[in-house]
Amino acid sequence: MGLGGISSNDGLPETSLDFMTEKLLKLKEPFLQSFNPSAKSRKDRINRVIQLIEENSDALHTAISKDFGSRHEQMSQLTDTLATVSHAKHVLKKIDQWMKPEKRKARFPLNLLGSSAYVQHQPYGVIGIIAPWNFPISLSLGPLVEVFAAGNNAMIKLSEFVPETSKLVEELVNKYFSEEELVVINGGVETSSNFTSLSFDHLLYTGSTAVAKKVCAAVANNLVPVTLELGGKSPVVIGDKVDMKKSVQQIMTGKTVNAGQICIAPDYTFIPTAKVDEFIDNARDFVQTSFPTLKNNPDYTSIIHLNHYERLNALVDDARSKGAQIVELNPANEDFSQQEYHKIPPTLILNPTEDMVVMQEEIFGPIMPVKTYENFNDVVSYINLKPKALALYYFGNSKEEINRIINDTSSGQAVFNEWGFQYAYDDLPFGGVGPSGSGAYHGKEGFKNFSHNRAVVKAQKLLNLWSMVGAPYTEKTDKAAKRF
Ligand code: NAD
């Protein structure tokens, strides 16, 4: 399930494996001497990430717009660059606290003899970061901030779908960082695939579930531990006592910001049968107000590439051919058959069935299947039968339903009466579960995820406990066993 298999090699030459291997060795060099970079040096690096973004934000936004064909600079600023800077500032405030060793109880009776125990958070070493194209800054430099906070060096591979942004980030990183700290690698799928064969100390992969399987197979060779930030089908459940207008505004924002090309975008909606018409009317009003026109409106983002445009249109055609009712939210009744920027109007798919591809794969675009229900139990069972989602959204105010979502379902995140802002809760871990990801970043969990949490035991004096419990096995050891 999920995306993957869609590729683009427009304009980025591949980078050789030899070149990457050489760069990796350079990045590993500092760890030949120490695994204890100071808080000061970690903060300095994070400050340089902030500086890189702030001093070059216009150029970054222009490059992103160029890569998308059409994406508003302010959208990139709010969701991509500013989001990263604000997160970096949060991490800066927390580093000293996060770096502190965590005291643990020493084992009885050694504690009585002065032994102590703690968890030391030390860097893994060099962390590889593979990023997707949808928020190219926030998903590359965002996790980098935590990778640096944990004291690591990093090598980043940006997506070939955003060649202008990737080239600019490489250029800027070379200006703001030394090659003993951070390296950016560019290229297509061949480069990405070779990247996963490198012996990193940890790899963060953000992308589709389909490609994640290839990544896991590749890293197995070197037993590189991985964090997987994936996607999937994040459901929205509209429940009882719902404020439909405000809820639909949020839900359809999730399908129209970046044209729904967001990992935590609502994928499909569950709604009580009696409320479908109200949902459609509110969705229509929302689009009419936010995007009176779509095709040449710079506020409405393009689909990233012709391949994805064709994939999304094929989802709608497939659903239509299998009997779904298609409702195009196209306020100015524009003709989308001939256009420069691969735009797709927000589209509702009513009465979707399980044999439709749109209900089997992550959508990652402005298409919203709307499923109806009569009984909330059926919603819970449906969600639990499907692969665990990255996010699960509930809109409504029934305490009972909210408790059922919290207690009886599983997902990376559970979000109530809000869409998308969970990513901005800097203190909460951000990640999936099972097929939507493993490991997380953001918050203390993120710091720990990019740290080796090493067990340290310190005996106060040199005790030879083994003299009590080791061979020769006599009455003396028997007594010791009984005492334990
Ligand atoms: P993708 O899986 O096609 O590509 C992601 C990255 O993987 C790219 O840099 C690409 O070069 C690289 N890649 C491609 N083939 C590879 C291979 N064989 N080996 C190693 N690397 C390879 O995903 P995408 O289209 O760029 O992004 C969309 C997907 O990412 C969606 O599924 C979305 O849900 C997910 N996503 C998840 C998060 C999250 O934080 N959980 C955030 C954004 C996007």
Side-chain angles (χ1 to χ4, degrees):
M1 97 157 198
L3 310 174
I6 302 250
S7 60
S8 150
N9 276 8
D10 305 344
L12 278 179
E14 302 290 356
T15 300
S16 77
L17 181 57
D18 285 350
F19 179 84
M20 290 189 260
T21 308
E22 194 188 305
K23 294 286 176 195
L24 178 59
L25 283 176
K26 261 244 150 64
L27 287 166
K28 284 199 173 199
E29 243 168 55
F31 297 100
L32 295 176
Q33 290 306 318
S34 173
F35 276 86
N36 190 27
S38 66
K40 189 167 169 247
S41 77
R42 300 177 195 207
K43 288 177 193 170
D44 167 53
R45 287 171 174 199
I46 295 171
N47 275 317
R48 277 184 281 145
V49 174
I50 296 173
Q51 229 179 314
L52 180 157
I53 296 173
E54 286 184 340
E55 291 173 1
N56 302 281
S57 57
D58 287 349
L60 287 166
H61 301 148
T62 306
I64 298 171
S65 297
K66 224 166 153 187
D67 283 328
F68 271 78
S70 171
R71 177 162 124 164
H72 203 287
E73 276 81 0
Q74 268 176 22
M75 213 285 282
S76 294
Q77 181 186 26
L78 289 165
T79 58
D80 216 344
T81 53
L82 267 186
T84 311
V85 167
S86 129
H87 180 60
K89 290 185 175 168
H90 171 80
V91 171
L92 278 176
K93 279 191 217 140
K94 294 282 182 176
I95 285 187
D96 293 313
Q97 186 190 330
W98 288 346
M99 281 176 68
K100 282 187 187 144
E102 285 173 37
K103 197 169 173 349
R104 296 294 164 94
K105 266 199 169 144
R107 178 77 168 84
F108 174 83
L110 299 167
N111 55 344
L112 301 180
L113 301 167
S115 285
S116 63
Y118 63 92
V119 176
Q120 172 197 12
H121 306 302
Q122 67 171 191
Y124 274 114
V126 183
I127 299 199
I129 299 175
I130 297 184
W133 47 263
N134 59 332
F135 293 100
I137 303 306
S138 140
L139 297 169
S140 57
L141 304 186
L144 173 71
V145 161
E146 284 169 48
V147 162
F148 275 164
N152 302 283
N153 289 341
M155 195 189 264
I156 298 178
K157 162 70 181 68
L158 287 137
S159 169
E160 61 280 3
F161 277 95
V162 281
E164 293 298 324
T165 314
S166 302
K167 281 186 276 188
L168 179 59
V169 172
E170 181 183 2
E171 197 184 296
L172 295 174
V173 161
N174 290 342
K175 191 170 147 197
Y176 287 79
F177 293 92
S178 78
E179 57 179 1
E180 282 82 30
E181 297 172 314
L182 175 64
V183 170
V184 170
I185 297 292
N186 278 322
V189 170
E190 186 188 315
T191 304
S192 298
S193 170
N194 282 332
F195 191 89
T196 55
S197 74
L198 296 170
S199 51
F200 290 113
D201 299 295
H202 190 103
L203 181 77
L204 164 68
Y205 169 77
T206 306
S208 62
T209 304
V211 172
K213 292 178 188 172
K214 297 184 193 169
V215 170
C216 287
V219 297
N221 257 336
N222 295 314
L223 293 177
V224 174
V226 279
T227 297
L228 301 174
E229 295 283 350
L230 312 178
K233 296 185 80 61
S234 296
V236 171
V237 181
I238 294 187
D240 204 13
K241 301 180 193 151
V242 66
D243 179 332
M244 189 66 89
K245 184 170 182 202
K246 284 190 182 151
S247 302
V248 172
Q249 279 171 353
Q250 294 241 13
I251 296 163
M252 291 309 292
T253 298
K255 280 290 189 191
T256 49
V257 169
N258 214 27
Q261 300 165 109
I262 308 177
C263 59
I264 49 175
D267 190 90
Y268 61 95
T269 297
F270 260 118
I271 185 159
T273 311
K275 291 187 172 155
V276 175
D277 290 342
E278 205 187 334
F279 182 94
I280 300 170
D281 290 346
N282 278 292
R284 212 188 287 284
D285 286 351
F286 167 79
V287 175
Q288 166 87 55
T289 309
S290 304
F291 308 98
T293 65
L294 293 156
K295 204 166 141 183
N296 294 312
N297 182 347
D299 293 357
Y300 191 59
T301 304
S302 300
I303 302 305
I304 183 75
H305 194 274
L306 180 63
N307 293 345
H308 279 282
Y309 174 77
E310 287 173 348
R311 175 184 67 78
L312 287 163
N313 278 317
L315 292 182
V316 178
D317 292 344
D318 173 74
R320 186 184 286 112
S321 75
K322 289 173 180 159
Q325 188 192 341
I326 310 297
V327 179
E328 218 178 69
L329 305 174
N330 178 1
N333 213 13
E334 292 165 284
D335 175 7
F336 284 83
S337 60
Q338 293 286 322
Q339 51 163 325
E340 196 181 348
Y341 292 130
H342 313 134
K343 290 196 182 173
I344 294 183
T347 303
L348 306 180
I349 297 189
L350 308 180
N351 310 316
T353 51
E354 295 306 300
D355 61 333
M356 296 173 187
V357 186
V358 78
M359 290 312 294
Q360 296 162 7
E361 292 181 358
E362 179 181 5
I363 297 171
F364 219 61
I367 299 167
M368 173 66 91
V370 182
K371 272 179 85 69
T372 54
Y373 71 89
E374 303 287 340
N375 185 331
F376 201 79
N377 287 335
D378 296 339
V379 176
V380 172
S381 318
Y382 182 94
I383 289 169
N384 287 339
L385 267 172
K386 296 288 172 188
K388 289 174 185 163
L390 182 58
L392 171 50
Y393 300 99
Y394 171 90
F395 288 85
N397 283 296
S398 152
K399 274 195 183 133
E400 197 189 320
E401 290 174 353
I402 290 172
N403 283 337
R404 287 228 58 200
I405 297 281
I406 289 178
N407 297 323
D408 302 337
T409 67
S410 177
S411 59
Q413 305 125 39
V415 184
F416 297 88
N417 293 312
E418 198 170 276
W419 165 75
F421 267 97
Q422 71 267 30
Y423 189 77
Y425 282 60
D426 293 315
D427 242 358
L428 275 180
F430 181 84
V433 50
S436 57
S438 50
Y441 58 91
H442 285 197
K444 174 91 195 239
E445 285 82 358
F447 175 84
K448 285 175 97 164
N449 188 55
F450 296 128
S451 301
H452 168 48
N453 301 298
R454 188 193 210 184
V456 180
V457 169
K458 279 185 184 162
Q460 188 64 18
K461 47 189 172 202
L462 199 59
L463 300 164
N464 189 1
L465 272 193
W466 288 104
S467 66
M468 289 198 296
V469 296
Y473 297 108
T474 61
E475 234 174 76
K476 187 185 73 180
T477 45
D478 194 35
K479 269 189 196 157
K482 279 181 185 140
R483 268 209 305 277
F484 267 115

